[in-house]
């Protein structure tokens, strides 16, 4: 069986995939931190976590992977990966490892080997590619999903990457967080965010409650 980074137009497996915004925020944060540390142009890799029920998949969270480069090839730190997987499993017992992510503008030849390595941990991993170079103001979300499929090409069985359609799924807490991040990104300040206003109201209420409790304590002490 040949391995290839040939991309098919669409997966033939009928996967129903949902992605939560937290994953995109995690990857963006991961990429930004690496760039700020001097890793300009360096790829970031990570693991996707979520729930799969048959051909229905929902991706809720992610964590980073450590790797080194030897002779231009990426070597994953499998010990770190196993430790992080165990830690997340204890915290989120319902979540399973469903695949991996990478930043980049396109699928690279080395990605097939990385996909095989992740395939040693779970069967049929998903691959999420995030393009960090997307132009500001673009209306297209720079996120693409792929899964590996075995197809016959030139009379030979060949493993390829096939694209998968997905939808964004959110809960109320995520919508509030995304709105907060959007206000900071667009205005450079969190002052206009509804979340900030809400937290400010809670802070004032807690402060007032604290003052009243202190007053009651002094009154009880006098009696």
């Amino acid at each position: 069986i040949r391995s290839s980074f040939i991309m098919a137009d669409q997966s033939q497996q009928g996967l129903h995939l949902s992605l939560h915004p937290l994953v995109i925020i995690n990857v963006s944060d991961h990429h930004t931190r690496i760039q700020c540390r001097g890793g300009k142009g360096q790829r970031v890799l990570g693991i996707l976590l979520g729930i799969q029920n048959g051909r229905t998949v929902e991706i809720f969270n992610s964590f980073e992977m450590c790797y080194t480069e030897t002779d231009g090839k990426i070597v994953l730190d499998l010990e770190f990966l196993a430790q992080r997987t165990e830690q997340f499993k204890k915290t989120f017992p319902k979540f399973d490892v469903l695949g991996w992510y990478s930043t980049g503008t396109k699928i690279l030849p080395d990605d097939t080997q990385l996909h095989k390595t992740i395939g040693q941990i779970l069967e049929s991993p998903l691959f999420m590619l995030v393009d960090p170079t997307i132009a500001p103001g673009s209306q297209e979300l720079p996120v693409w999903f792929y899964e590996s499929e075995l197809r016959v090409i030139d009379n030979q069985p060949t493993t390829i990457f096939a694209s998968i359609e997905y939808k964004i799924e959110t809960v109320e807490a995520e919508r509030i967080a995304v709105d907060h991040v959007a206000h900071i990104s667009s205005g450079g300040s969190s002052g206009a965010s509804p979340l900030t206003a809400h937290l400010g109201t809670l802070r004032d209420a807690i402060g007032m409650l604290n003052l009243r409790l202190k007053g009651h304590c002094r009154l009880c002490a006098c009696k």
Side-chain angles (χ1 to χ4, degrees):
I1 299 177
R2 295 187 301 176
S3 294
S4 173
F5 59 98
I6 298 173
M7 292 168 50
D9 292 335
Q10 190 70 37
S11 171
Q12 298 178 352
Q13 302 300 320
L15 190 70
H16 300 284
L17 177 61
S18 299
L19 174 67
H20 284 256
L22 177 60
V23 179
I24 303 175
I25 294 174
N26 285 347
V27 177
S28 176
D29 174 70
H30 186 189
H31 170 76
T32 301
R33 283 187 286 106
I34 294 299
Q35 301 307 302
C36 290
R37 293 173 185 170
K40 188 174 182 180
Q42 181 179 339
R43 297 174 68 187
V44 298
L45 307 176
I47 289 295
L48 302 174
L49 301 169
I51 299 173
Q52 180 168 6
N53 184 12
R55 297 299 292 172
T56 299
V57 175
E58 195 165 0
I59 299 176
F60 289 89
N61 207 341
S62 64
F63 66 81
E64 305 166 15
M65 281 196 293
C66 293
Y67 70 88
T68 56
E69 289 194 42
T70 304
D71 297 329
K73 293 185 177 180
I74 292 177
V75 179
L76 299 179
D77 187 338
L78 297 180
E79 182 177 353
F80 173 83
L81 176 56
Q83 291 175 351
R84 291 288 284 167
T85 300
E86 183 179 357
Q87 291 169 354
F88 267 82
K89 193 65 177 177
K90 291 179 179 178
T91 308
F92 305 100
K94 294 183 179 180
F95 291 174
D96 295 315
V97 174
L98 298 178
W100 64 290
Y101 70 77
S102 171
T103 53
T105 57
K106 62 181 180 179
I107 294 178
L108 301 175
D110 286 346
D111 291 339
T112 53
Q113 186 57 48
L114 290 173
H115 200 74
K116 281 186 176 181
T117 302
I118 302 299
Q120 297 173 7
I121 303 172
L122 72 155
E123 185 179 355
S124 301
L126 299 174
F127 172 38
M128 183 178 79
L129 180 65
V130 180
D131 184 358
T133 65
I134 199 72
S138 175
Q139 297 300 310
E140 181 182 2
L141 192 63
V143 177
W144 298 270
F145 275 91
Y146 303 93
E147 65 177 341
S148 58
E149 290 185 355
L150 185 63
R151 297 188 185 180
V152 177
I153 299 177
D154 297 331
N155 295 322
Q156 291 190 34
T158 305
T159 302
I160 66 170
F161 280 124
S163 62
I164 309 170
E165 291 185 352
Y166 68 93
K167 65 178 181 178
I168 299 295
E169 191 73 39
T170 63
V171 296
E172 183 63 26
E174 289 175 320
R175 285 192 288 270
I176 293 173
V178 170
D179 180 72
H180 180 66
V181 172
H183 275 82
I184 296 176
S185 299
S186 60
S189 170
S190 61
S193 168
L195 177 61
T196 302
H198 176 65
L199 292 176
T201 302
L202 288 178
R203 179 198 60 197
D204 294 341
I206 292 172
M208 183 62 68
L209 177 61
N210 185 45
L211 289 175
R212 291 183 177 179
L213 287 174
K214 287 181 178 179
H216 283 299
C217 288
R218 287 195 294 269
L219 182 60
C220 291
C222 291
K223 292 182 178 180

